[in-house]
Amino acid sequence: MADAKVYGILSAKGGVGKTTITANLGSILAREFKKKVLAVDANIEVPNLHLYLDMLGLPSSLQNVIKDEVSIAHSTYIHKSGLSVVPGSFLEEGVDVTRLKNIIDLVKGLYEIILLDSHPHVDKETRAVIESSDEVLIVTNPWIPIVTSCLLTIKLVNEVGTPIKGIILNKVGRSDEEMSAREVEDSLGLPILAKIPADINVYRGVEKRTPVVVEVPKSPASKEFRRLAKLF
């Protein structure tokens, strides 16, 4: 098996749905498309992926791997969707995020796709994710302040030199005042890969700690995640 393609999942701000995208895209690729997928919570400061997937009380995390306390194999757990997950943990100190790429490179031969959930700011954590990725995905909502903030993230990606696969437009259809898909593409100069609707089932899935693609596979959002997954 060829080395996995590594995708960094980036956003300019918290709350746009980056972790929701990671959880659902990874789950549907594993569950329905039978891909060998690893999702890594590389949000060192505020990891949340394990909360979205109801994977609580796990004995080790990415932070422990980075600190050489355990191997990445011993911090990889299987979600009920079939998705492999390396969770994060809170309040870990002395974590050298620049080691992320070396750790990801160790397991690239074991998977087809690796998704890196990132810190929602333009900082050293986000840079480490970009440097560890073969391509990145930018998650945004269709509102002017958030779309504009994405320009800083895109600037950092371009500085590092990692290709951008495109934009995932999330929470679409919540307001008549939101930007159109064409306006977002023109503003950011990048193609939109998917338009995830503002589907109540997504929010219920977060509350139940189960990805919507698992809980309600025929919901509007699940159908769009399915379409997105076909691009990988």
Side-chain angles (χ1 to χ4, degrees):
M1 182 170 58
D3 282 356
K5 192 74 172 285
V6 182
Y7 297 95
I9 314 295
L10 311 181
S11 66
K13 292 185 176 182
V16 302
K18 171 183 54 58
T19 301
T20 301
I21 298 295
T22 304
N24 280 281
L25 179 58
S27 293
I28 199 167
L29 283 167
R31 183 182 178 93
E32 294 190 24
F33 290 78
K34 308 304 179 184
K35 298 285 189 180
K36 295 193 69 175
V37 186
L38 175 68
V40 179
D41 196 337
N43 184 349
I44 304 297
E45 185 174 326
V46 190
N48 281 303
L49 184 60
H50 65 296
L51 303 178
Y52 281 62
L53 296 172
D54 198 22
M55 300 176 75
L56 309 178
L58 300 174
S60 62
S61 66
L62 176 65
Q63 284 85 339
N64 299 125
V65 178
I66 291 175
K67 293 164 69 176
D68 279 331
E69 295 172 347
V70 295
S71 70
I72 190 169
H74 283 88
S75 290
T76 301
Y77 305 89
I78 307 299
H79 184 254
K80 62 184 177 181
S81 65
L83 173 67
S84 296
V85 179
V86 177
S89 57
F90 293 99
L91 305 176
E92 291 281 349
E93 298 181 356
V95 178
D96 181 6
V97 71
T98 63
R99 296 194 60 220
L100 179 64
K101 180 174 174 22
N102 291 338
I103 290 167
I104 298 303
D105 286 347
L106 289 175
V107 295
K108 287 181 73 171
L110 303 178
Y111 299 94
E112 296 173 84
I113 296 169
I114 297 177
L115 305 177
L116 305 180
D117 192 18
S118 68
H119 193 231
H121 299 287
V122 179
D123 58 12
K124 64 180 181 180
E125 287 188 28
T126 301
R127 188 181 188 96
V129 167
I130 297 168
E131 292 174 343
S132 302
S133 302
D134 298 308
E135 287 188 303
V136 301
L137 306 166
I138 309 291
V139 180
T140 188
N141 304 142
W143 307 314
I144 290 175
I146 297 177
V147 171
T148 302
S149 296
C150 286
L151 293 171
L152 291 175
T153 304
I154 292 169
K155 179 181 178 182
L156 177 59
V157 176
N158 290 335
E159 287 176 1
V160 174
T162 302
I164 301 175
K165 186 174 181 69
I167 301 293
I168 298 175
L169 198 57
N170 194 34
K171 303 181 183 179
V172 174
R174 286 180 59 178
S175 168
D176 292 336
E177 307 303 319
E178 67 189 35
M179 298 174 70
S180 69
R182 175 61 63 85
E183 288 172 330
V184 174
E185 287 185 326
D186 289 347
S187 296
L188 300 180
L190 293 166
I192 289 178
L193 305 177
K195 295 179 285 185
I196 311 297
D199 182 347
I200 188 62
N201 295 292
V202 175
Y203 303 101
R204 288 172 178 163
V206 172
E207 291 172 356
K208 293 180 179 180
R209 298 177 179 173
T210 302
V212 67
V213 298
V214 175
E215 183 76 7
V216 192
K218 294 184 179 180
S219 72
S222 294
K223 291 177 180 178
E224 187 66 1
F225 276 117
R226 193 168 291 111
R227 193 184 73 79
L228 174 62
K230 292 178 181 178
L231 303 179
F232 292 81

